[in-house]
Amino acid sequence: MTGNIGMEQLIPIVNKLQDAFTQLGVHMQLDLPQIAVVGGQSAGKSSVLENFVGKDFLPRGSGIVTRRPLILQLIHGNAEFAEFLHCKGKKFTDFNEVRSEIEAETDRVTGSNKGISPVPINLRVYSPNVLNLTLIDLPGLTKVPIGDQPPDIEQQIKAMIFQFIRRESCLILAVTPANTDLANSDALKLAKEVDPQGLRTIGVITKLDLMDEGTDARDVLENKLLPLRRGYIGVVNRSQKDIDGRKDIAAAMAAERKFFLSHPAYRHLADRLGTPYLQRVLNQQLTNHIRDTLPGLRDKLQKQLLALEKDVEQYKHFRPDDPSIKTKAMLQMIQQLQTEFEKTIEGSGSAQINTNELSGGAKINRLFHERFPFEIVKMEIDEKELRREIAFAIRNIHGIRVGLFTPDMAFEAIVKKQIARLKEPCLKCVDLVVQELSNVVRMCTERMSRYPRLREETERIIMSHVRSREQQCKDQLVLLVDCELAYMNTNHEDFIGFANAQNQSESAAKSGHRTLGNQVIRKGFMCIHNLGIMKGGSRDYWFVLTSESISWYKDEEEREKKYMLPLDGLKLRDLEQGFMSRRHMFALFNPEGRNVYKDYKQLELSCETQDDVDSWKASFLRAGVYPEKTSEASNGEEGEGNENSDSAGSSSMDPQLERQVETIRNLVDSYMRIVTKTTRDLVPKTIMMMIINNAKDFINGELLAHLYASGDQVILIKYLIK
């Protein structure tokens, strides 16, 4: 044995720690000093380990043979035998039985069809021919799955290897065959990822006797080609023919020594090559590595020991009726609630993130930027109805006189009526946000489910506060709309003004109303429902919505276009869910009654969730397809005779009145764009400040005080101690 004997005794101590973690079945939380053997399949890892022991004891064959990490603990002793941690007390003197046991134990966990597992096998070998050394034999990298192996077998093996070699306390034994290019070495590539400076990596070059004639690995072994801080060591293992012929390992090591002494390229390095030298170097490196990492390991162990002793001391004097324990538990749950609420709203991520539907902050974001604008557009009045109202307003203002000029009072009357309609979508947005906040609170208090009284009281206090803020927020939004109603700012920089209104209407008529071009607005799957039974009934298609048309294809590759439908004149209406159907439906139709698609009056579409439907509706709005109005323009006038409605109709207007209506219409449109833009901007900000941020501050600052004031804490968490 070489080196400091006292230091070498640390290797068996580290082995005992390793065994303890494996037996407990827990993940090793201490970074124990160790050497991990990595390399590609058939790189010669198993042969190197067998040469250390001097016995054939590892499974061999084609494909992936090492399918579980093997923690091999070599211990210098007088007798020669092996022990498995899972067969405690049983000594194996026949190393063929050791191989059989490794295969059986591997199959027990992974199955017999090439599966892999990160659960290690612990094998301890005592022998007078070994130095104290601990190595971890890891599966070789494979590219193509065989047997029952999953398609991502390469990623799984990499993840398993990284689990060991990522630790700073792990030395990496990177085994590379000499008959492959060193730049393509799987082992060195893996080592480089976790040890870019090469501080923890020891290179091993195998199969030096199989290199093409006239080539050698001298530059590699002299550490010139791809330098490592700890250098490279070359070895020559037995060939498959030698193994099949049961060539003795002692004879093989003698042949290895002879090869290095007789080879002209390696003769000058012979004393620093070969398996015995590698074993001595690894023993020394591991001993030095343990010495370097020991202070940090000792500190970590002491900290964990002190923490455990503190817990033990606390439980020695544990009293189930101690109210301080219950108060501490309640404080911890409230702190968790605060953290979870903030994460759910802010979207900072969580281990239990919802992967099925939008929730929390993401859902509120969609309400602000898709659902709320859609609700505003739904409240807009029908074009025909608007022109009719403008015509009545102009004529009523003129009275008996002939109107030569367009009256600005008509503009103000119509705009005020339009602005007042904004209150409903604003208040509806508040309702939807409060409903989602209620869901968030219920989800965040899930951890309190063991204490129903505490959970019930917590939810009640939070939601009572949110409800009070909800009413204040609604009052504030109504005030915002009332401010818009109080003063018509016709000097706004974005307002077109009276002088430009007529010119704009004429230029718009010439250029067309679409300004988006034919850009793609949205893509996604939807189901068409009203196809004929003979044509396959309802089925999913891939839809592409542009600013001018909607097309659908057989699939998302968009190779086979089924149909393209122009959007001009189309409107959108909601449909009731069909019998036994959970899908949410809506339809595209032409208000003038013309066929939309082939001989169908409407195109019936559906999505799996209401959120998807709302999102598609918002996209259709951008393309200029507006929802159907619930009331028809002529409903209120039928009792007064047809002459009134006819007189307001565009067909019977005199040219002067028609020009005035068009001017007012452009002014209303311009001013409402300003008001709507302001509303869409201010409503989310107001809700955010007055409800969401306030709720967050309340939970962080005042919830605990309200809980203390609401009753006895012992009663609130009486289910804590059973």
Side-chain angles (χ1 to χ4, degrees):
M1 295 176 73
T2 62
N4 186 327
I5 304 231
M7 285 303 300
E8 283 197 356
Q9 297 309 311
L10 287 172
I11 295 177
I13 294 172
V14 171
N15 290 345
K16 287 180 182 178
L17 283 170
Q18 227 157 13
D19 290 350
F21 279 112
T22 306
Q23 279 184 308
L24 288 170
V26 295
H27 181 66
M28 210 165 21
Q29 296 180 3
L30 290 174
D31 290 343
L32 298 178
Q34 53 199 5
I35 300 176
V37 186
V38 297
Q41 270 190 36
S42 306
K45 300 189 302 298
S46 298
S47 295
V48 170
L49 297 179
E50 286 183 336
N51 285 358
F52 285 170
V53 177
K55 299 286 182 182
D56 288 325
F57 69 95
L58 291 173
R60 293 180 178 275
S62 60
I64 180 169
V65 178
T66 306
R67 293 183 283 127
R68 286 175 61 183
L70 175 70
I71 297 176
L72 177 62
Q73 299 170 355
L74 305 180
I75 298 168
H76 184 79
N78 295 325
E80 190 172 57
F81 63 92
E83 282 182 344
F84 285 97
L85 190 62
H86 63 272
C87 301
K88 204 152 189 180
K90 183 177 179 182
K91 293 184 179 181
F92 292 80
T93 52
D94 183 352
F95 281 81
N96 288 324
E97 288 183 19
V98 172
R99 182 191 301 114
S100 302
E101 183 58 33
I102 292 173
E103 290 172 347
E105 179 64 12
T106 300
D107 290 348
R108 188 180 66 78
V109 174
T110 64
S112 58
N113 207 2
K114 306 298 183 185
I116 66 166
S117 168
V119 180
I121 299 173
N122 284 51
L123 172 63
R124 187 173 289 173
V125 176
Y126 296 83
S127 171
N129 305 316
V130 300
L131 300 178
N132 285 349
L133 194 57
T134 302
L135 302 129
I136 302 171
D137 186 21
L138 295 167
L141 277 178
T142 182
K143 309 288 184 187
V144 181
I146 59 172
D148 286 340
Q149 290 173 354
D152 62 339
I153 184 72
E154 184 180 3
Q155 284 72 30
Q156 286 192 26
I157 293 175
K158 276 186 179 178
M160 186 195 302
I161 293 172
F162 282 140
Q163 182 181 325
F164 288 90
I165 67 173
R166 191 177 282 117
R167 298 177 184 140
E168 286 296 321
S169 60
C170 180
L171 295 178
I172 304 165
L173 196 67
V175 180
T176 305
N179 55 358
T180 62
D181 191 346
L182 198 66
N184 295 327
S185 166
D186 289 327
L188 288 175
K189 185 182 177 204
L190 288 172
K192 192 85 174 169
E193 287 187 42
V194 294
D195 180 30
Q197 303 299 319
L199 302 177
R200 300 188 282 120
T201 306
I202 305 165
V204 175
I205 307 298
T206 61
K207 305 186 181 181
L208 288 165
D209 55 330
L210 299 182
M211 295 186 74
D212 290 342
E213 199 170 334
T215 63
D216 59 61
R218 180 172 173 170
D219 285 348
V220 176
L221 296 173
E222 289 179 349
N223 208 17
K224 292 177 181 176
L225 191 59
L226 285 173
L228 294 174
R229 186 69 61 89
R230 297 173 188 263
Y232 293 86
I233 298 169
V235 296
V236 175
N237 299 323
R238 292 175 300 163
S239 67
Q240 190 61 44
K241 183 180 178 183
D242 293 339
I243 294 166
D244 294 340
R246 302 283 181 181
K247 183 176 182 179
D248 185 57
I249 289 181
M253 290 175 73
E256 177 190 54
R257 177 77 178 155
K258 183 180 177 184
F259 171 81
F260 286 129
L261 286 171
S262 61
H263 198 290
Y266 308 133
R267 192 180 301 146
H268 67 295
L269 294 168
D271 290 340
R272 287 183 283 128
L273 299 173
T275 302
Y277 177 74
L278 174 61
Q279 194 173 0
R280 289 197 303 274
V281 165
L282 292 182
N283 171 266
Q284 191 62 49
Q285 296 269 24
L286 184 58
T287 303
N288 293 343
H289 192 55
I290 290 175
R291 184 188 62 208
D292 295 341
T293 57
L294 189 62
L297 182 63
R298 182 171 170 272
D299 289 346
K300 194 169 183 179
L301 275 170
Q302 280 187 330
K303 284 178 186 175
Q304 290 189 2
L305 181 63
L306 287 171
L308 285 170
E309 284 177 348
K310 186 179 176 183
D311 288 344
V312 169
E313 194 63 30
Q314 181 184 345
Y315 285 113
K316 272 184 188 174
H317 307 290
F318 179 75
R319 283 175 42 227
D321 57 342
D322 186 356
S324 66
I325 296 173
K326 299 186 177 185
T327 304
K328 181 182 176 184
M330 190 172 85
L331 282 168
Q332 286 175 336
M333 282 185 285
I334 297 304
Q335 285 171 346
Q336 279 182 337
L337 170 66
Q338 293 166 356
T339 307
E340 284 295 318
F341 186 83
E342 189 147 350
K343 280 183 178 180
T344 310
I345 296 297
E346 299 296 333
S348 53
S350 168
Q352 297 178 345
I353 196 163
N354 192 335
T355 56
N356 298 320
E357 61 181 359
L358 289 182
S359 61
K363 181 75 173 285
I364 292 170
N365 181 62
R366 173 171 276 189
L367 291 174
F368 284 160
H369 301 297
E370 288 189 5
R371 183 69 183 270
F372 177 53
F374 180 72
E375 292 294 334
I376 288 179
V377 173
K378 269 180 31 175
M379 295 308 297
E380 286 182 2
I381 201 162
D382 188 85
E383 184 70 26
K384 190 175 179 182
E385 168 92 359
L386 180 60
R387 290 178 179 277
R388 180 175 160 279
E389 288 183 1
I390 294 171
F392 276 127
I394 292 171
R395 294 167 74 176
N396 285 332
I397 289 167
H398 285 315
I400 199 167
R401 293 166 292 129
V402 177
L404 297 176
F405 302 102
T406 307
D408 56 355
M409 288 175 64
F411 160 74
E412 192 167 323
I414 296 298
V415 165
K416 282 188 174 181
K417 186 174 180 181
Q418 290 280 72
I419 292 174
R421 297 168 70 91
L422 289 173
K423 289 182 182 178
E424 187 180 336
C426 292
L427 300 182
K428 185 170 183 179
C429 186
V430 176
D431 290 336
L432 292 170
V433 169
V434 169
Q435 181 183 339
E436 183 56 31
L437 269 186
S438 175
N439 294 337
V440 170
V441 171
R442 195 160 48 249
M443 184 173 67
C444 291
T445 56
E446 191 70 39
R447 294 175 185 269
M448 300 180 184
S449 55
R450 285 179 59 204
Y451 321 107
R453 290 288 295 276
L454 176 63
R455 183 180 185 181
E456 181 185 334
E457 194 62 20
T458 304
E459 288 183 11
R460 185 192 66 77
I461 291 170
I462 296 173
M463 289 316 297
S464 294
H465 178 76
V466 169
R467 295 290 178 197
S468 67
R469 298 297 299 178
E470 174 189 5
Q471 192 52 51
Q472 293 178 40
C473 183
K474 285 182 175 179
D475 293 342
Q476 181 65 30
L477 293 179
V478 169
L479 182 63
L480 283 176
V481 177
D482 287 342
C483 290
E484 294 285 0
L485 287 169
Y487 177 62
M488 302 288 121
N489 182 17
T490 52
N491 287 326
H492 194 285
E493 58 185 3
D494 295 333
F495 186 58
I496 60 171
F498 255 81
N500 296 327
Q502 185 66 37
N503 295 337
Q504 183 172 340
S505 64
E506 291 173 3
S507 61
K510 291 175 185 175
S511 62
H513 66 284
R514 298 194 187 277
T515 57
L516 285 171
N518 196 28
Q519 69 185 45
V520 174
I521 294 174
R522 185 185 177 92
K523 294 183 178 185
F525 278 106
M526 282 194 290
C527 182
I528 302 180
H529 281 266
N530 57 332
L531 293 175
I533 300 293
M534 298 301 291
K535 298 176 184 176
S538 61
R539 62 166 294 181
D540 288 333
Y541 289 100
W542 178 259
F543 282 80
V544 177
L545 174 65
T546 70
S547 53
E548 294 181 357
S549 66
I550 183 162
S551 309
W552 56 93
Y553 299 81
K554 185 177 179 181
D555 52 43
E556 63 265 45
E557 293 179 4
E558 298 180 18
R559 284 202 296 261
E560 189 180 335
K561 184 185 282 191
K562 293 294 184 182
Y563 200 79
M564 186 182 78
L565 181 64
L567 297 178
D568 279 332
L570 294 188
K571 294 244 176 180
L572 187 146
R573 66 158 65 108
D574 288 321
L575 297 175
E576 291 185 8
Q577 289 181 344
F579 180 66
M580 296 293 286
S581 171
R582 293 185 179 179
R583 296 183 71 93
H584 302 267
M585 299 176 64
F586 64 98
L588 299 176
F589 70 100
N590 193 310
E592 297 175 6
R594 290 199 296 270
N595 289 344
V596 171
Y597 164 62
K598 296 187 178 178
D599 54 347
Y600 299 109
K601 294 290 183 187
Q602 63 182 21
L603 184 66
E604 296 175 7
L605 304 169
S606 78
C607 303
E608 287 189 2
T609 67
Q610 186 61 48
D611 280 346
D612 289 338
V613 169
D614 292 340
S615 188
W616 270 104
K617 285 179 179 177
S619 301
F620 275 113
L621 286 183
R622 289 186 58 202
V625 178
Y626 293 99
E628 175 188 32
K629 303 305 167 193
T630 53
S631 60
E632 292 299 324
S634 60
N635 281 351
E637 295 297 326
E638 287 178 359
E640 299 180 14
N642 291 332
E643 63 276 5
N644 271 352
S645 55
D646 289 343
S647 66
S650 59
S651 59
S652 61
M653 279 190 202
D654 63 83
Q656 186 176 335
L657 179 59
E658 193 169 345
R659 280 196 301 274
Q660 291 178 350
V661 168
E662 184 65 25
T663 302
I664 296 291
R665 174 69 188 90
N666 287 334
L667 290 170
V668 170
D669 193 44
S670 173
Y671 196 78
M672 284 308 298
R673 268 202 300 271
I674 297 168
V675 174
T676 302
K677 185 178 179 181
T678 306
T679 305
R680 286 173 61 173
D681 182 53
L682 282 178
V683 168
K685 290 177 178 176
T686 306
I687 295 174
M688 199 71 202
M689 185 198 76
M690 296 193 70
I691 299 181
I692 298 172
N693 287 349
N694 186 272
K696 202 188 306 177
D697 294 341
F698 176 80
I699 291 171
N700 288 343
E702 299 179 47
L703 174 60
L704 205 55
H706 281 74
L707 276 171
Y708 277 118
S710 68
D712 187 354
Q713 283 69 56
V714 176
I715 296 174
L716 284 176
I717 49 176
K718 66 178 181 178
Y719 293 102
L720 178 60
I721 308 298
K722 294 187 178 179

